[in-house]
Amino acid sequence: MAQYARNAAAVAVIRLRNPPVNALSLTVLQALEDGLKRADADPSVKAVMICGENGKFSAGADIQGFSSPKRQGIALGPLVSLIERSEKPVVAAIEGIALGGGLEVALGCHFRVAHVQARMGLPEVTIGLLPGAEGTQRLPRLIGVPAALDLITTGRHIPATEALKLGLVDEVVEENTVEAGIRLANKLIASVSLENVSSKENRELCKHARILTGCPAGQPLGPRRLSLKPIPRLPNMEAFLSEALVKVKKQARGCLAPELCFQAVKAATEQPFADGVQRERELFNILLTSGQAQALQYAFFAERAVQRWTTLSGASWKSASPQPIRRAAVIGLGTMGRGIVTSLVKANIPVVALEQDVEYLNTGRKAVMLLLEREAMKMGQDAQSLDFHNPARLQFTVDFDGLRDVDLVIEAVFENMALKKEIFKKLSGICKPGAFLCTNTSALNIDEIASATSHPQQVIGTHFFSPAHVMRLLEIIYGRHTSPAAIATAMQLAKAMKKVGVVVGNCFGFVGNRMMFPYVQQAVFLLEEGSRPENVDQVIEDFGFKIGPFRMSDLAGLDVGWRSRKGQGLTGASLPPGTPARQRHGRRYSPLPDLLCEQGRFGQKTGKGWYQYEKAGGRTARPDPWLHSFLSEYRDTHQIKTRFIDQEEILERCLFSLINEGFNILAEGIASGPEHLDVIYINGYGWPKHKGGPMFYASTVGLPRILAKLQKYSEAHPDVPELRPSAFLKKLVAAGNPPLKEWMSCSGSQSSKL
Ligand SMILES: CC/C=C\C/C=C/C(=O)SCCNC(=O)CCNC(=O)[C@H](O)C(C)(C)COP(=O)(O)OP(=O)(O)OC[C@H]1O[C@@H](n2cnc3c(N)ncnc32)[C@H](O)[C@@H]1OP(=O)(O)O
């Protein structure tokens, strides 16, 4: 709701109230409208001030409301117009946040005062929408087209100081913003009432108020009504807009909202306000009914839902308390370790960084310092707090003794079980008993690593994604003995590092990589059967992935998987003689990646892999005629009949096999809901957010269709168990294809609800 109050003077205060973020639900909008009408009708009220409860102006429209089937009641756009039309001055006092519809309400006000720590923005684009309460028409009139386009198409939040520079707010205050708002309202009242008084003192006061408000005498509000303002012209508007469109399209990668945001702002440059509003409405409705907005809003809530973690044994976020991390250590300063140190320093956690010898330590130190310098450059003035040249904040050592008093260790050495166990055994003897021992592994068994220590309850998997200081995902893996406090602490750490932590159970590859295996496997099988790497990558990238499986494999290095397969005895010297080339343990196997590695083709680092590059370390992938003839010869050798494989088959075999594994994971209780899988895929594996994640996507395709296709492909490839439909998928189809929210109640696993 919105609370209406009168202070002693002539200012009516309307306080938006809908905890926790004062989202503009229909009830809030109705109360806001009632408050405005009441103030208007009361002759003793001379000005109105709108603010938000609990130090937050508003996070905008209630996002839940967009998916409710019947959204009836007052609309936000007309309400913003109502505010603007008020004959009594309306001041917005912005504390905390003014986002989306919240900022649009403020744009309808005649004056805006913001607290210095407030943040503002129009993030609708990030949930697949546009600022549909006339914000695309008012903002460019206030701050100009380039700045408005930037804010509206990126959705970025800006601090109050930047808002002041842009002219988005009139005043930034460090003290109580509501009081500042009331003071301004009183000045405005004085400026109007004193207009006709002739004393020198009053004329001075009046002049002061006009300077502050920019109102010509006798016409107090006209110039403050943004709908009446002309768009600030640019000498080269047309050229500017065409360039901006190219940029927006490039960044959007198949997501509709940024381009439609652009179209709405463009309309503001071409049409009168009312027509622009009409165009904004049309574009808003296109977005609202597009599947993309639903997917992005699902992703918004999924990210928040995974914070409420649970485990199979019933531990959960409700009862477990995170422990404070006053000091952390990182073991191993390879690519991952360097990124992890950087993330910890940025989270203001003092770090001890340890390497096995001085040579590795010096190389690691240089690399970490370089990363931190770069981060500091990006952060500007805020970088001072990093203080990473101070040994009390960041210390480098080769001595395990330096780890005696740390609260948490993240081991980030080579992916080798024996080595990890050796390190954990050492840590168990050196670290204090309450220290949390985290292993950065992408697939290894957490229980086996924990077995090397005397406190397995302190051991937990923290799977970072490369580059670790950039990627948002942190897969948090609990083992059989991991304590709830360890999970809660790892989740808290993720938050401190501005990452999204997702708690999952322990199995080979955990969630992300386990689902990735069948996807990559299908991609390689498709090559055996007739596709080329560039065909497969194109289909996957057209779907919206940032990078296809073969470009990704070249980037990560083919040798990584090769080493792992050798370790598993799937290839290399330990392979028993007589093993069929294309079969392992009775299942289909493709030796293609091994053969490439045997040729020294490790990807970008060697200049050749699934593609060719301009040089070793080159980045531009070009189709490689050598690889094409190599594939032809391979098919001849193994008597595989080459066939044309269409885009649909490529997409379905890659994605549906990945989704199928997702259903197995859910059935086993490795993750407590489909949201977990989706958050992992969006934040760690480049799944297009506007498609909501693999499980959400499956729900939009329809489970019966996924099942039918898997059945078809499985019949065609009976030696590929990953194509055999998951029993859980079959169960859901038999249960009538329930909505995603209801899947887990059909799972029969003990996993808790979100
Ligand atoms: C008819 C068309 C008219 C107009 C067009 C206008 C459209 C809009 O305004 S769309 C909404 C635009 N606003 C946003 O996108 C802001 C979204 N929220 C956030 O970015 C963040 O939540 C925050 C910065 C506001 C706060 O962040 P933080 O402090 O980290 O808290 P949480 O993110 O965990 O949020 C707390 C709690 O609030 C729920 N929530 C946040 N914003 C909204 C919202 N706009 N509508 C509904 N609910 C919201 C969020 O889900 C959390 O709840 P749970 O813990 O229960 O999940």
Side-chain angles (χ1 to χ4, degrees):
M1 50 105 68
Q3 189 191 37
Y4 181 90
R6 283 287 306 281
N7 71 345
V11 182
V13 174
I14 302 177
R15 200 178 287 271
L16 308 171
R17 184 193 277 177
N18 185 12
V21 292
N22 299 327
L24 302 171
S25 62
L26 290 179
T27 320
V28 174
L29 294 186
Q30 190 57 60
L32 177 55
E33 187 190 26
D34 292 346
L36 287 165
K37 288 188 172 159
R38 193 166 154 190
D40 184 49
D42 183 344
S44 68
V45 169
K46 303 292 181 207
V48 181
M49 196 205 57
I50 304 177
C51 60
E53 179 92 339
N54 275 336
K56 288 173 186 148
F57 190 76
S58 168
D62 182 352
I63 302 172
Q64 297 278 14
F66 291 124
S67 50
S68 94
K70 279 196 196 134
R71 195 178 190 278
Q72 283 170 347
I74 175 139
L76 187 52
L79 185 55
V80 174
S81 282
L82 183 74
I83 298 172
E84 194 192 76
R85 280 200 308 274
S86 167
E87 288 302 330
K88 300 176 182 179
V90 186
V91 176
I94 301 172
E95 293 175 301
I97 41 162
L99 298 173
L103 184 58
E104 291 178 290
V105 165
L107 288 173
C109 298
H110 307 115
F111 301 91
R112 286 160 291 279
V113 184
H115 188 263
V116 67
Q117 276 167 359
R119 284 185 298 140
M120 280 150 264
L122 293 172
E124 287 87 339
V125 68
T126 63
I127 52 165
L129 297 174
L130 54 75
E134 307 178 359
T136 63
Q137 305 303 300
R138 279 198 180 83
L139 191 64
R141 285 176 162 79
L142 180 62
I143 64 172
V145 176
L149 207 49
D150 168 43
L151 291 190
I152 292 172
T153 58
T154 64
R156 72 187 178 93
H157 301 182
I158 57 168
T161 44
E162 189 178 341
L164 184 67
K165 275 191 205 142
L166 289 175
L168 178 53
V169 296
D170 302 290
E171 203 181 341
V172 170
V173 296
E174 291 192 21
E175 76 270 30
N176 187 312
T177 316
V178 171
E179 280 170 18
I182 292 178
R183 215 171 30 249
L184 174 57
N186 278 320
K187 269 186 196 153
L188 295 167
I189 295 168
S191 92
V192 175
S193 59
L194 292 175
E195 281 301 328
N196 301 324
V197 183
S198 61
S199 89
K200 190 168 174 244
E201 193 190 340
N202 283 348
R203 275 205 308 274
E204 274 311 300
L205 181 57
C206 199
K207 205 167 114 196
H208 173 78
R210 279 205 303 272
I211 289 167
L212 186 66
T213 61
C215 294
Q219 218 194 2
L221 295 180
R224 307 297 307 189
R225 294 193 171 106
L226 298 181
S227 67
L228 303 181
K229 266 175 97 82
I231 289 273
R233 303 309 307 176
L234 289 176
N236 53 351
M237 184 70 90
E238 224 168 278
F240 168 79
L241 287 173
S242 346
E243 264 176 45
L245 178 59
V246 173
K247 200 171 138 203
V248 165
K249 275 188 170 170
K250 197 169 162 205
Q251 283 167 358
R253 307 184 55 84
C255 185
L256 270 178
E259 193 177 336
L260 269 60
C261 281
F262 170 89
Q263 297 299 350
V265 175
K266 184 164 178 268
T269 68
E270 295 169 342
Q271 297 174 16
F273 186 83
D275 297 346
V277 165
Q278 185 52 38
R279 180 73 182 132
E280 179 192 273
R281 247 170 236 163
E282 288 161 13
L283 294 167
F284 184 85
N285 283 331
I286 295 175
L287 288 174
L288 188 64
T289 49
S290 78
Q292 293 195 358
Q294 275 143 23
L296 286 161
Q297 287 159 31
Y298 160 83
F300 174 86
F301 288 113
E303 200 172 289
R304 281 146 185 90
V306 300
Q307 305 307 311
R308 299 187 279 275
W309 58 270
T310 56
T311 69
L312 269 181
S313 63
S316 85
W317 63 284
K318 281 187 202 149
S319 49
S321 308
Q323 300 303 302
I325 303 302
R326 295 178 202 92
R327 199 169 165 77
V330 175
I331 303 181
L333 293 178
T335 312
M336 294 309 291
R338 294 167 193 178
I340 297 170
V341 172
T342 305
S343 296
L344 288 166
V345 172
K346 282 180 73 185
N348 268 319
I349 298 174
V351 187
V352 183
L354 185 138
E355 252 300 353
Q356 55 180 317
D357 64 31
V358 174
E359 198 185 328
Y360 276 103
L361 187 75
N362 286 338
T363 313
R365 183 203 316 256
K366 269 193 208 140
V368 167
M369 287 306 190
L370 198 66
L371 280 183
L372 282 166
E373 299 288 357
R374 281 196 203 136
E375 291 300 302
M377 292 257 285
K378 282 189 225 156
M379 288 168 71
Q381 286 210 322
D382 298 343
Q384 280 172 355
S385 62
L386 295 183
D387 198 17
F388 54 89
H389 291 289
N390 177 353
R393 315 269 327 155
L394 176 58
Q395 187 191 332
F396 291 88
T397 183
V398 289
D399 185 358
F400 266 81
D401 256 3
L403 273 48
R404 281 193 186 283
D405 70 337
V406 297
D407 302 306
L408 178 139
V409 182
I410 302 174
E411 162 279 306
V413 303
F414 215 50
E415 195 77 329
N416 175 300
M417 181 57 88
L419 176 62
K420 291 201 185 245
K421 282 172 86 170
E422 188 189 317
I423 289 174
F424 273 73
K425 191 168 173 209
K426 225 171 185 174
L427 290 174
S428 182
I430 288 174
C431 294
K432 55 190 184 191
F436 297 104
L437 308 178
C438 311
T439 173
N440 175 54
T441 169
S442 58
L444 297 181
N445 188 335
I446 305 299
D447 290 332
E448 192 176 342
I449 296 172
S451 70
T453 76
S454 48
H455 345 278
Q457 74 281 6
Q458 299 297 102
V459 177
I460 189 159
T462 45
H463 179 199
F464 286 82
F465 288 72
S466 184
H469 60 296
V470 176
M471 295 292 285
R472 283 191 79 220
L473 179 64
L474 182 65
E475 216 177 8
I476 294 173
I477 309 104
Y478 62 93
R480 192 176 308 147
H481 302 289
T482 306
S483 69
I487 303 176
T489 306
M491 282 297 276
Q492 181 69 31
L493 182 70
K495 201 169 177 186
M497 292 190 293
K498 298 202 165 64
K499 295 192 185 296
V500 43
V502 185
V503 175
V504 301
N506 185 23
C507 62
F508 187 72
F510 317 130
V511 165
N513 283 347
R514 180 169 157 184
M515 289 169 74
M516 181 79 355
F517 296 139
Y519 160 89
V520 171
Q521 187 192 51
Q522 285 304 312
V524 177
F525 289 165
L526 286 162
L527 295 196
E528 289 190 327
E529 293 164 37
S531 291
R532 289 177 169 181
E534 49 274 26
N535 306 137
V536 177
D537 280 347
Q538 194 61 55
V539 170
I540 296 295
E541 287 163 20
D542 286 349
F543 177 79
F545 269 87
K546 292 200 180 92
I547 185 166
F550 294 107
R551 261 187 262 274
M552 178 48 122
S553 166
D554 274 0
L555 175 71
L558 274 74
D559 50 326
V560 181
W562 194 33
R563 208 176 305 118
S564 158
R565 289 189 297 278
K566 281 198 269 191
Q568 294 170 61
L570 293 169
T571 188
S574 61
L575 194 64
T579 307
R582 298 181 54 234
Q583 226 184 52
R584 299 289 182 275
H585 312 300
R587 305 157 162 221
R588 179 170 169 186
Y589 176 84
S590 173
L592 273 174
D594 303 332
L595 295 173
L596 256 60
C597 287
E598 283 165 19
Q599 302 264 350
R601 296 180 71 109
F602 292 167
Q604 286 188 4
K605 62 176 102 168
T606 56
K608 288 187 176 84
W610 297 108
Y611 292 91
Q612 56 177 326
Y613 297 85
E614 61 279 22
K615 58 175 191 258
R619 300 257 174 121
T620 315
R622 277 181 296 127
D624 189 348
W626 179 90
L627 189 100
H628 299 156
S629 32
F630 171 77
L631 286 175
S632 301
E633 280 167 33
Y634 173 89
R635 291 180 199 124
D636 290 346
T637 308
H638 296 286
Q639 293 166 353
I640 306 168
K641 207 165 158 249
T642 306
R643 64 185 178 92
F644 170 75
I645 304 176
D646 65 19
Q647 298 182 356
E648 183 175 289
E649 179 173 347
I650 294 177
L651 193 70
E652 289 176 349
R653 279 178 57 188
C654 291
L655 298 191
F656 291 4
S657 58
L658 178 154
I659 288 166
N660 195 39
E661 197 57 40
F663 283 112
N664 289 330
I665 285 171
L666 291 177
E668 289 169 29
I670 293 292
S672 49
E675 293 87 346
H676 289 63
L677 280 48
D678 288 334
V679 171
I680 286 174
Y681 261 79
I682 288 171
N683 292 286
Y685 292 84
W687 184 284
K689 200 171 185 178
H690 59 273
K691 295 223 162 89
M695 306 319 279
F696 180 87
Y697 174 69
S699 74
T700 62
V701 171
L703 303 192
R705 181 177 158 84
I706 306 242
L707 175 60
K709 289 296 181 130
L710 281 168
Q711 268 158 347
K712 176 182 134 186
Y713 293 127
S714 175
E715 276 160 26
H717 306 277
D719 52 353
V720 183
E722 290 77 4
L723 288 173
R724 267 175 235 152
S726 143
F728 184 35
L729 169 62
K730 286 187 194 164
K731 195 172 172 183
L732 288 170
V733 173
N737 187 24
L740 179 140
K741 270 188 193 156
E742 292 168 24
W743 288 0
M744 294 319 285
S745 51
C746 299
S747 78
S749 101
Q750 291 167 11
S751 59
S752 332
K753 314 289 163 301
L754 289 164

